[in-house]
Amino acid sequence: MSEKKKSFPFDEFESKWQELWAAEKTFRTAGPGEDGFDGSKPKYYILDMFPYPSGAGLHVGHPEGYTATDIMGRYKRMKGFNVLHPMGWDAFGLPAEQYAIKTGQHPRVTTEANVDNFRRQLQALGFAYDWDREVNTTDPGYVKWTQWIFIQLYNSYFCEEEGKAKPVSVLEEKGWSREEIDEVRLAFIHEAPVNWSPSMGTVLANEEVEEWKAKGETVERRPLRQWMLRITKYAQRLIDELEPLDWPESIKMLQRNWIGRSEGAEVEFAVAGCEDVIRVFTTRPDTLFGATYMVLAPEHPLVDEVVTDEQREAVVAYKEACATKSDLERGDLNKDKSGVATGAFAVNPVSGEEVPIWIADYVMMGYGTGAIMAVPAHDERDFEFAKKFELPILQVVDPGGDEEWQGFTGEGVAVNSGFLDGLETGGAKAKMIDWLEKEGKGTRQVNYKLRDWLFSRQRYWGEPFPILWNKETGEHAALPEEELPLLQPEMEDFKPTGDPRGPLLKATEWINYSGEFERETNTMPQWAGSCWYYLRYCDPKNAERFIGEEVESYWKNVDLYVGGTEHAVLHLLYARFWHKVLNDLGHLSTKEPFEKLVNQGLILGEDGQKMSKSLGNVVNPDDVVSEYGADSLRLYEMFMGPLEQVKPWSMKGVEGVHRFLAKVWRVKEKVSGEVSSDELAKVTHQTIKRVQESIESLRFNTAISAMMECSNAYNAADAVPRDLFVIFLQLLNPFAPHLSEEVHALLGGEGLLSEMNWPLVNEELLVESEIQIIVQVNGKLRARIMVAAEASKEEVEELALADENVVSFTEGKTVRKVIVVPGKLVNVVAN
RNA sequence: GCCUCUGUGGCGGAAUUGGUAGACGCUGUGGAUUUAAAAUCCAUUGUCCCUAGGACGUGCGGGUUCGAGUCCCGCCGGAGGUACCA
């Protein structure tokens, strides 16, 4: 331990203030129906992406976003808002379960210990959370409502006419059968090839596959019966209703790309010599004349029907080869085209030509219809395939100019296309679709890349589905709401069974609900809890509803949401979907959960690399706190640069802000009640203005610069008026709450800074009697002159032209023009 | 390949949105204090010519303008996302 003397005793006072805030519940937020609630105040709901409490504890990325929201929350509170700024735990998840498999320790025990550690670490940073609102996704009181929401999804369908979800009871009244209703539920059972991970013993959502593969897990396609959520019904609304949100354009873009809307047509190709019809989706119906062959995905159901006897053997062999290929082999690693002819032919509906039908793995069963019309002249993939297998290539688009038409995928003028010849691509598309619709050979069609959400997992540590199965009929039904929450049975062996029904299969007593019914053994994915936690914070203890109606109508949705980009398409899309369903069903008053979204940038290691154990560049917040204090950590994380930006860590930088705080600490020695200083008053009030503007626009780095300048002015002065310094401490309080409170208390200040009103700017103090004017000659700075603030344009011009340096630069030249920007500058144009 | 973001001193970054480029902080250099160090304080720190002062300077090349880091056109580099999506 170094003998380094601490420049101020943060180790003594930081914990003191934290204890006081906790004991007095300084940051408790009263909501509707609670003591002390003042409904006349405007609300401001600030949300952090709640952490998964891992065993590793906080890393420096957490306090970045959390400090930003903390500053905003404290500021808004001082500005007279009812601020909701809560924290909680996304506590279901695989690591705890895997730890349990290894050690036999129950995931609940591990999770609790991790949560306690996270809470301790966050509290040591002095965040102004209302800890009475803490939520934990694994609490029975929380699980109950996650399951309740699932039942709402289960009991709803998407009404196409109104474009919204409605209860299935509407359909029952219309006389729909049970089977028909099961077909349209928003939560439904579906048997389809899914992403099954043998190494983890669970299935995964499409969205998760890459992430886990990157971590070394194996994932393969396998047909299984799974719970799905019909998010695809909301594809269009998820695009449209994204538009007005105050989100980073990049995130909106990611969501739009993920949903992947494309417009085109569905076209029917008759199979020659039989009744079968192959439907294809195309975004380029204008190129239909150029469709010289077709390709079916190897898994396409028509393959076995159309294949000729001569080709059967080759087709079967190819299908088998594809089935055993991993996604990686089929995708990234193998861009080489492969395929086999089926021997069958289809009829191009517009040209009447017979075209061969092939199967190839470059066509995916999961998108569109699983079949394509191949236009090798104007599609790169088809072009490559046609060259390899020597299939005909027919030009149908003229790119114009000298451009090569082979493989040209852009827009141009239709050629060799009968009635489309001479039309531009746009017009040709429209005309072809009209023709197809008139002839009954196709329709206008919009396609989305978005798939329905695979919602079941074969895990122990997740919410069990509140679903019962009839042992006789195999029909499913929702568990009665009174029986929620349905918790997992106590178990000691969490190992995957290899059975795709998951580890709960072993809890035979638990499964057996009654003579007639047994329980569903799947559990929900971790996303379930995080889909609606922001709602629960508003009313965390409500046992009657997931959120009280009065409470919901006050807090509504989140005003500011801060978190990392990694959730751009997962959590942020899922939560929007659930919110919309709950809104459709009348449980929520808003359409979107998060009005404004800000992504904090990644903090890199001191070496500019991403922090990682293997590189040894990880910074532990606990170490920074013990050496420099929580205020220094908070301040440094905000001073590093713009919140959204990726930026490297620097211990020297931490020392820099620590020095600033030490200077503030020393200012108190020269505070005096007697002195008055116009100069310092002006600086202080300028600082109020600058800090305020910076916070409002989330530019915390410049707010800190402004405060540094102000404190430099105090340090240069012989004495600092007490009232001004208190204002300064108020400005500093959201950033460095401990030190500011401590200094304020040492100066004998009454009450808490955090509970004072934000200081008002005295604009009169900011008015200058004399202002500096920049004088340029031909756009180059030549002089600075002081003029009276109320000086006229003419006076300013005259003074500028009289300046010595201006005279020397205009000598021998003719002044052509003088531009005067009042209060700013004069530019003399001379040549 | 496509999409989004981004490019300013030795470093992190400012710049009132078209008007003093480099605020604030870090680093470096010189000095004060000290037996010495730490801490603290003062000066200096874009490059070049160096004397007041001047020339150059915001990835590169053009353009618009009295005036461009900021707007327009064309390149180049970096980061992230995504990709047989028909």
Side-chain angles (χ1 to χ4, degrees):
Chain A
M1 179 70 197
S2 71
E3 285 304 302
K4 200 166 92 182
K5 204 182 120 210
K6 297 211 157 64
S7 23
F8 55 95
F10 59 82
D11 50 337
E12 289 162 28
F13 65 70
E14 287 189 346
S15 51
K16 181 186 84 185
W17 287 102
Q18 286 156 15
E19 282 157 25
L20 184 131
W21 298 329
E24 312 225 317
K25 293 196 190 289
T26 308
F27 301 110
R28 176 176 169 270
T29 306
E34 292 178 295
D35 280 353
F37 173 65
D38 178 357
S40 66
K41 286 184 175 182
K43 69 103 186 185
Y44 197 77
Y45 186 178
I46 310 180
L47 184 68
D48 295 304
M49 288 185 183
F50 68 164
Y52 172 75
S54 73
L58 286 187
H59 56 78
V60 291
H62 289 113
E64 188 190 14
Y66 299 164
T67 305
T69 52
D70 195 56
I71 291 165
M72 186 57 94
R74 287 169 176 269
Y75 168 77
K76 286 282 182 187
R77 183 187 301 271
M78 289 167 140
K79 277 281 197 180
F81 286 79
N82 277 331
V83 172
L84 180 57
H85 185 213
M87 181 45 74
W89 320 106
D90 186 16
F92 277 127
L94 205 51
E97 184 162 338
Q98 281 171 335
Y99 188 75
I101 293 168
K102 247 194 284 174
T103 63
Q105 187 166 51
H106 197 282
R108 176 160 277 119
V109 177
T110 326
T111 304
E112 253 170 45
N114 290 348
V115 163
D116 288 344
N117 185 42
F118 262 70
R119 193 189 301 104
R120 174 194 63 77
Q121 285 190 299
L122 289 178
Q123 284 175 344
L125 292 174
F127 294 131
Y129 293 121
D130 177 357
W131 287 104
D132 286 353
R133 292 177 180 271
E134 180 177 346
V135 304
N136 182 323
T137 55
T138 66
D139 281 346
Y142 189 93
V143 168
K144 172 177 177 178
W145 297 108
T146 306
Q147 290 168 330
W148 179 85
I149 294 171
F150 177 81
I151 293 176
Q152 307 314 301
L153 288 156
Y154 176 79
N155 283 330
S156 311
Y157 76 106
F158 189 81
C159 170
E160 301 285 351
E161 292 74 41
E162 294 180 41
K164 58 181 263 192
K166 285 182 165 183
V168 291
S169 55
V170 172
L171 300 175
E172 281 164 12
E173 282 158 26
K174 285 189 191 166
W176 283 45
S177 73
R178 207 212 133 82
E179 289 71 30
E180 285 170 323
I181 289 173
D182 284 349
E183 290 291 301
V184 297
R185 293 178 190 274
L186 290 182
F188 63 105
I189 280 281
H190 186 61
E191 175 141 357
V194 295
N195 307 299
W196 166 258
S197 169
S199 60
M200 293 192 287
T202 184
V203 295
L204 298 170
N206 292 325
E207 288 85 341
E208 296 172 300
V209 170
E210 286 311 317
E211 191 187 327
W212 287 107
K213 279 212 284 200
K215 291 180 185 169
E217 304 290 350
T218 55
V219 181
E220 62 182 41
R221 303 287 289 176
R222 181 166 165 180
L224 288 175
R225 206 184 55 169
Q226 298 292 323
W227 284 98
M228 311 276 291
L229 298 186
R230 224 177 278 282
I231 190 173
T232 50
K233 289 290 177 194
Y234 282 81
Q236 193 59 49
R237 278 179 59 187
L238 287 167
I239 293 174
D240 295 341
E241 289 161 20
L242 184 63
E243 217 43 57
L245 299 180
D246 185 3
W247 284 25
E249 190 48 42
S250 57
I251 300 292
K252 288 189 180 182
M253 213 55 188
L254 287 174
Q255 290 217 349
R256 276 188 227 114
N257 288 345
W258 190 265
I259 297 167
R261 181 183 205 271
S262 53
E263 282 179 42
E266 206 163 277
V267 185
E268 290 181 5
F269 281 66
V271 178
C274 74
E275 297 293 292
D276 288 322
V277 165
I278 299 173
R279 306 175 65 84
V280 301
F281 173 73
T282 177
T283 55
R284 292 296 299 269
D286 60 302
T287 63
L288 186 47
F289 279 96
T292 53
Y293 67 100
M294 300 192 75
V295 185
L296 303 182
E299 307 87 351
H300 196 284
L302 280 178
V303 172
D304 293 333
E305 296 208 22
V306 303
V307 65
T308 59
D309 292 338
E310 300 83 71
Q311 288 300 102
R312 191 171 303 272
E313 201 178 319
V315 164
V316 169
Y318 185 74
K319 280 179 68 170
E320 267 171 25
C322 291
T324 55
K325 267 189 199 174
S326 74
D327 284 358
L328 213 64
E329 286 167 320
R330 214 173 138 163
D332 291 355
L333 293 184
N334 187 13
K335 296 272 179 185
D336 253 7
K337 295 285 176 292
S338 67
V340 176
T342 61
F345 287 82
V347 182
N348 181 319
V350 64
S351 68
E353 297 280 330
E354 291 208 346
V355 298
I357 303 171
W358 286 64
I359 64 169
D361 65 359
Y362 82 94
V363 174
M364 309 289 142
M365 196 58 223
Y367 181 75
T369 62
I372 62 156
M373 63 179 216
V375 184
H378 306 293
D379 181 283
E380 272 177 48
R381 298 149 297 171
D382 299 344
F383 182 59
E384 214 182 296
F385 192 82
K387 284 219 297 202
K388 179 158 177 183
F389 294 102
E390 297 177 340
L391 291 158
I393 299 171
L394 171 66
Q395 180 189 14
V396 289
V397 180
D398 178 8
D402 305 327
E403 215 164 329
E404 172 61 43
W405 64 266
Q406 294 226 345
F408 172 77
T409 58
E411 306 208 335
V413 176
V415 292
N416 302 324
S417 293
F419 59 88
L420 298 181
D421 281 354
L423 288 174
E424 297 277 342
T425 300
K429 280 183 185 175
K431 191 161 183 185
M432 179 57 86
I433 293 173
D434 288 347
W435 184 88
L436 288 166
E437 290 191 330
K438 203 176 82 215
E439 299 290 318
K441 290 178 173 172
T443 48
R444 187 175 301 278
Q445 179 80 33
V446 174
N447 246 329
Y448 300 92
K449 277 195 270 185
L450 186 69
R451 306 280 74 141
D452 276 328
W453 176 11
L454 178 78
F455 195 65
S456 40
R457 298 292 182 274
Q458 293 66 46
R459 290 181 188 167
Y460 172 78
W461 194 228
E463 303 88 345
F465 282 84
I467 290 287
L468 297 173
W469 292 88
N470 187 308
K471 292 179 190 170
E472 295 266 304
T473 63
E475 283 173 349
H476 46 76
L479 192 71
E481 276 180 31
E482 316 79 81
E483 295 183 30
L484 300 181
L486 168 63
L487 303 179
Q488 310 93 323
E490 285 306 316
M491 283 172 60
E492 281 174 13
D493 175 14
F494 309 98
K495 276 189 211 66
T497 53
D499 187 304
R501 282 171 294 180
L504 289 180
L505 198 62
K506 284 181 274 190
T508 46
E509 260 179 58
W510 179 86
I511 292 172
N512 191 25
Y513 177 77
S514 68
E516 200 180 350
F517 291 104
E518 62 182 14
R519 295 190 195 276
E520 166 68 61
T521 57
N522 281 309
T523 55
M524 299 186 201
Q526 201 180 345
W527 308 114
S530 61
C531 261
W532 72 284
Y533 73 110
Y534 61 97
L535 295 169
R536 191 60 179 171
Y537 281 138
C538 300
D539 204 2
K541 298 191 174 78
N542 195 329
E544 307 303 317
R545 280 182 61 86
F546 73 114
I547 178 173
E549 281 167 301
E550 195 195 346
V551 168
E552 196 278 331
S553 73
Y554 181 75
W555 293 114
K556 293 196 163 69
N557 54 8
V558 175
D559 295 286
L560 175 64
Y561 195 16
V562 176
T565 351
E566 66 273 18
H567 294 116
V569 283
L570 302 171
H571 161 62
L572 287 173
L573 198 63
Y574 296 151
R576 292 181 62 218
F577 165 50
W578 278 32
H579 194 97
K580 286 178 193 308
V581 175
L582 291 168
N583 169 244
D584 289 351
L585 297 176
H587 299 301
L588 297 177
S589 58
T590 53
K591 286 194 161 164
E592 286 282 339
F594 316 118
E595 289 298 326
K596 182 179 171 74
L597 174 73
V598 174
N599 289 121
Q600 86 262 28
L602 198 65
I603 296 180
L604 304 174
E606 202 122 7
D607 54 1
Q609 304 276 103
K610 206 168 160 173
M611 284 193 192
S612 78
K613 270 187 205 150
S614 57
L615 287 169
N617 58 357
V618 177
V619 178
N620 182 344
D622 280 350
D623 298 343
V624 181
V625 170
S626 67
E627 189 154 356
Y628 300 99
D631 285 337
S632 296
L633 175 67
R634 293 170 58 113
L635 212 57
Y636 173 64
E637 294 223 8
M638 294 300 99
F639 188 61
M640 291 174 86
L643 184 59
E644 308 83 352
Q645 202 164 296
V646 178
K647 43 213 178 273
W649 186 267
S650 157
M651 272 310 173
K652 288 286 182 189
V654 182
E655 281 172 31
V657 294
H658 185 75
R659 262 198 289 273
F660 159 67
L661 290 176
K663 282 186 205 171
V664 173
W665 177 257
R666 289 194 303 266
V667 168
K668 71 180 188 309
E669 311 302 332
K670 50 180 164 182
V671 162
S672 161
E674 284 99 68
V675 292
S676 74
S677 162
D678 292 348
E679 197 44 48
L680 292 184
K682 194 161 126 187
V683 171
T684 306
H685 281 262
Q686 267 166 353
T687 306
I688 302 175
K689 202 170 180 174
R690 289 172 68 186
V691 170
Q692 182 170 302
E693 285 168 0
S694 295
I695 295 178
E696 297 273 4
S697 53
L698 300 166
R699 293 184 340 234
F700 304 107
N701 53 333
T702 55
I704 296 167
S705 302
M707 289 187 286
M708 284 174 166
E709 284 180 60
C710 187
S711 103
N712 288 344
Y714 292 163
N715 271 293
D718 296 327
V720 177
R722 191 200 147 82
D723 53 338
L724 295 180
F725 189 53
V726 171
I727 290 177
F728 176 85
L729 291 174
Q730 281 182 267
L731 303 182
L732 183 62
N733 180 260
F735 297 81
H738 312 89
L739 177 122
S740 52
E741 291 287 8
E742 180 70 9
V743 172
H744 182 240
L746 287 174
L747 289 172
E750 294 284 317
L752 292 176
L753 286 174
S754 351
E755 291 181 331
M756 292 167 74
N757 290 326
W758 187 256
L760 291 172
V761 182
N762 182 348
E763 295 283 348
E764 277 174 36
L765 289 171
L766 304 185
V767 177
E768 310 265 358
S769 57
E770 246 198 347
I771 49 176
Q772 184 185 253
I773 298 286
I774 298 310
V775 186
Q776 300 177 326
V777 176
N778 293 330
K780 286 199 161 62
L781 175 68
R782 296 304 176 193
R784 295 161 224 252
I785 56 175
M786 295 305 292
V787 302
E790 65 277 8
S792 69
K793 267 189 159 189
E794 290 72 22
E795 286 168 321
V796 173
E797 181 174 336
E798 201 179 315
L799 281 165
L801 288 171
D803 183 273
E804 203 181 310
N805 211 28
V806 174
V807 170
S808 77
F809 272 94
T810 50
E811 213 160 40
K813 292 176 180 171
T814 319
V815 174
R816 302 285 173 193
K817 201 169 168 188
V818 180
I819 287 129
V820 181
V821 182
K824 278 215 173 108
L825 64 69
V826 176
N827 190 10
V828 181
V829 186
N831 59 13

